[in-house]
C-alpha cells in the first residue's frame, strides 16, 4: 500500500514538473513574440497597413496599364523594410480600421499619413513625425471666400474622410453638418454631386486635388490651431519601445540625408501626372 502511494505521488510530481516546463516554455515563447521588432526580423517580413487614395501619401499608379501602390508613405515603408533587412507586405484598408488592425496584430505598423493625436495615443504609439502639415478648407473657387467666414457654413455640409483629424475640426464648426466617407475619392464625389459644400483635408492633399479638379481652391480655416494640426507619423502598437526607437532612428537618417524631401517631391509629381 505504501509503495503504491509513493508511486502515485511520484506520478503526480512528475506531471506537475512537466506542466511547469510546458508553461515555462510557453512563457518564453510569448516573451519573444511580444517583441515586435524581433518578430519582424524573425519572420523576415514587415506588414504595413495603409489607406490608398490619399495622394501624395499613397495612391495607385495606373499609368501604362499597371496598378501599382506608390506614394510618399510607400517609398518610406519600402526603405524601412530594406534597412531592416526584411520583405514588405502592404495591406490596403479603410482608414478607421487601421488602429484596431494594429492592436490585434493584423499589421505591424501603420503608414497612412496618420497624425499622432492625443485621442489616438490612448490606443497606439507613434514614431517621431516624418511630415508636418495643416488642415485646410477645400471648396469651389466661387464659394471659397464666402466660406472663409465659418458663420456662412451654418446648415451647410462639410465632408471629411472618416477617422481623420479633419473630422474633429469639422465638428467644431457651429451649425454645420458633417458627412464622413471612407475615401478621399468619395469625399470629392460628394463635392462634385453637390452633397457637400466644403471639404476639410490636409494641405498637401488639397494642393494635389486643386490641380486634379479644376474650379476648386483651398484656404485657411478660422479655427483653433490645435484642431488643424496635421502631418504624419508611423503608427506602432503600444509598448514596443525597441521598434519605436528603430523607426525614430531611421526617420532621423532619412531627414538628414534629405530622402524624405526627395520621396515627397517625387510622389507629388507622380500623383499630379497620374491624376491629370
Amino acid at each position: 500500500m505504501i509503495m503504491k502511494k509513493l508511486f502515485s505521488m511520484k506520478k503526480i510530481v512528475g506531471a506537475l514538473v512537466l506542466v511547469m516546463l510546458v508553461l515555462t516554455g510557453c512563457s518564453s515563447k510569448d516573451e519573444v513574440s511580444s517583441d515586435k521588432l524581433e518578430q519582424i526580423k524573425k519572420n523576415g517580413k514587415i506588414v504595413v497597413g495603409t489607406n490608398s487614395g490619399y495622394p501624395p501619401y499613397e495612391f495607385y499608379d495606373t499609368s501604362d496599364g499597371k496598378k501599382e501602390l506608390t506614394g510618399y508613405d510607400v517609398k518610406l515603408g519600402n526603405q524601412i523594410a530594406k534597412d531592416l533587412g526584411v520583405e514588405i507586405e502592404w495591406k490596403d484598408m479603410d482608414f478607421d480600421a487601421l488602429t484596431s488592425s494594429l492592436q490585434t496584430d493584423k499589421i505591424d505598423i501603420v503608414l497612412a499619413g496618420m497624425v499622432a493625436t492625443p485621442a489616438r495615443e490612448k490606443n497606439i504609439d507613434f514614431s517621431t513625425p516624418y511630415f508636418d502639415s495643416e488642415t485646410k478648407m477645400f471648396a469651389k473657387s466661387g464659394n471659397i471666400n464666402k466660406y472663409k467666414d465659418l458663420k456662412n457654413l451654418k446648415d451647410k455640409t462639410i465632408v471629411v474622410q472618416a477617422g481623420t483629424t479633419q473630422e474633429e475640426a469639422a465638428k467644431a464648426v457651429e451649425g454645420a453638418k458633417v458627412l464622413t466617407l471612407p475615401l478621399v475619392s468619395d469625399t470629392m464625389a460628394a463635392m462634385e454631386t453637390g452633397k457637400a459644400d466644403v471639404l476639410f483635408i490636409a494641405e498637401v492633399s488639397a494642393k494635389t486635388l486643386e490641380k486634379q479638379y479644376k474650379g476648386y481652391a483651398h484656404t485657411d480655416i478660422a479655427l483653433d490651431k490645435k484642431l488643424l494640426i496635421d502631418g504624419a507619423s508611423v503608427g506602432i502598437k503600444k509598448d514596443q519601445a525597441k521598434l519605436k526607437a528603430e523607426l525614430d532612428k531611421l526617420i532621423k537618417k532619412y531627414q538628414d540625408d534629405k530622402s524624405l524631401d526627395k520621396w515627397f517631391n517625387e510622389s507629388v509629381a507622380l500623383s499630379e501626372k497620374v491624376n491629370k
Side-chain angles (χ1 to χ4, degrees), residues 57-151:
Y57 287 108
E58 42 272 318
F59 58 96
Y60 282 100
D61 180 0
T62 54
S63 60
D64 302 323
K66 61 186 176 184
K67 187 179 180 182
E68 180 182 352
L69 186 66
T70 187
Y72 184 41
D73 284 336
V74 178
K75 290 176 182 289
L76 172 58
N78 289 342
Q79 187 61 48
I80 287 172
K82 184 177 179 180
D83 285 340
L84 291 178
V86 298
E87 298 295 319
I88 189 166
E89 178 185 346
W90 290 91
K91 287 194 175 181
D92 189 5
M93 60 185 72
D94 288 346
F95 189 87
D96 55 2
L98 289 166
T99 295
S100 60
S101 296
L102 190 61
Q103 291 174 308
T104 54
D105 293 313
K106 292 178 182 176
I107 56 177
D108 296 318
I109 62 172
V110 171
L111 274 169
M114 186 175 277
V115 187
T117 63
R120 288 180 183 144
E121 286 175 333
K122 292 177 181 178
N123 300 306
I124 62 175
D125 289 334
F126 288 91
S127 69
T128 54
Y130 58 87
F131 190 77
D132 292 318
S133 183
E134 187 175 277
T135 293
K136 299 292 180 179
M137 179 191 297
F138 187 80
K140 289 185 177 178
S141 302
N143 295 329
I144 196 78
N145 287 328
K146 175 175 70 175
Y147 291 145
K148 283 179 75 172
D149 185 345
L150 297 184
K151 291 178 181 178

Side-chain angles (χ1 to χ4, degrees), residues 22-238:
V22 170
L23 289 175
T24 302
C26 290
S27 177
S28 298
K29 186 177 179 181
D30 289 344
E31 187 177 343
V32 171
S33 65
S34 68
D35 185 336
K36 184 62 71 175
L37 179 59
E38 185 176 340
Q39 188 182 71
I40 289 167
K41 290 184 175 181
K42 184 178 179 181
N43 292 339
K45 181 175 72 174
I46 185 168
V47 182
V48 184
T50 194
N51 172 245
S52 64
Y54 196 52
Y57 287 108
E58 42 272 318
F59 58 96
Y60 282 100
D61 180 0
T62 54
S63 60
D64 302 323
K66 61 186 176 184
K67 187 179 180 182
E68 180 182 352
L69 186 66
T70 187
Y72 184 41
D73 284 336
V74 178
K75 290 176 182 289
L76 172 58
N78 289 342
Q79 187 61 48
I80 287 172
K82 184 177 179 180
D83 285 340
L84 291 178
V86 298
E87 298 295 319
I88 189 166
E89 178 185 346
W90 290 91
K91 287 194 175 181
D92 189 5
M93 60 185 72
D94 288 346
F95 189 87
D96 55 2
L98 289 166
T99 295
S100 60
S101 296
L102 190 61
Q103 291 174 308
T104 54
D105 293 313
K106 292 178 182 176
I107 56 177
D108 296 318
I109 62 172
V110 171
L111 274 169
M114 186 175 277
V115 187
T117 63
R120 288 180 183 144
E121 286 175 333
K122 292 177 181 178
N123 300 306
I124 62 175
D125 289 334
F126 288 91
S127 69
T128 54
Y130 58 87
F131 190 77
D132 292 318
S133 183
E134 187 175 277
T135 293
K136 299 292 180 179
M137 179 191 297
F138 187 80
K140 289 185 177 178
S141 302
N143 295 329
I144 196 78
N145 287 328
K146 175 175 70 175
Y147 291 145
K148 283 179 75 172
D149 185 345
L150 297 184
K151 291 178 181 178
N152 292 326
L153 283 177
K154 185 177 180 181
D155 297 324
K156 302 295 182 182
T157 299
I158 303 171
V159 65
V160 295
Q161 186 181 18
T164 61
T165 53
Q166 284 76 36
E167 189 172 348
E168 185 179 356
K171 288 177 178 177
V173 179
E174 189 175 350
K177 301 171 186 176
V178 181
L179 174 63
T180 61
L181 296 171
L183 302 172
V184 173
S185 56
D186 296 332
T187 65
M188 281 309 303
M191 292 287 289
E192 292 276 74
T193 57
K195 293 179 181 178
D197 301 287
V198 301
L199 166 65
F200 280 13
I201 193 167
E203 181 177 17
V204 59
S205 295
K207 289 178 178 178
T208 301
L209 290 175
E210 204 170 82
K211 293 178 180 179
Q212 183 181 353
Y213 294 87
K214 302 304 178 185
Y216 285 87
H218 72 279
T219 189
D220 293 339
I221 305 172
L223 286 173
D224 187 330
K225 291 295 181 183
K226 291 180 181 178
L227 289 171
L228 304 176
I229 294 172
D230 200 88
S233 297
V234 184
I236 309 164
K237 190 177 181 181
K238 278 285 187 185

Side-chain angles (χ1 to χ4, degrees), residues 241-265:
K242 290 181 182 178
L243 179 58
K244 173 174 165 46
E246 185 68 19
L247 292 172
D248 287 348
K249 183 180 76 173
L250 290 175
I251 289 169
K252 177 68 164 56
K253 172 189 171 185
Y254 306 148
Q255 287 172 335
D256 291 344
D257 66 14
K258 306 300 180 184
S259 290
L260 291 178
D261 293 338
K262 176 176 176 287
W263 297 331
F264 178 75
N265 292 331

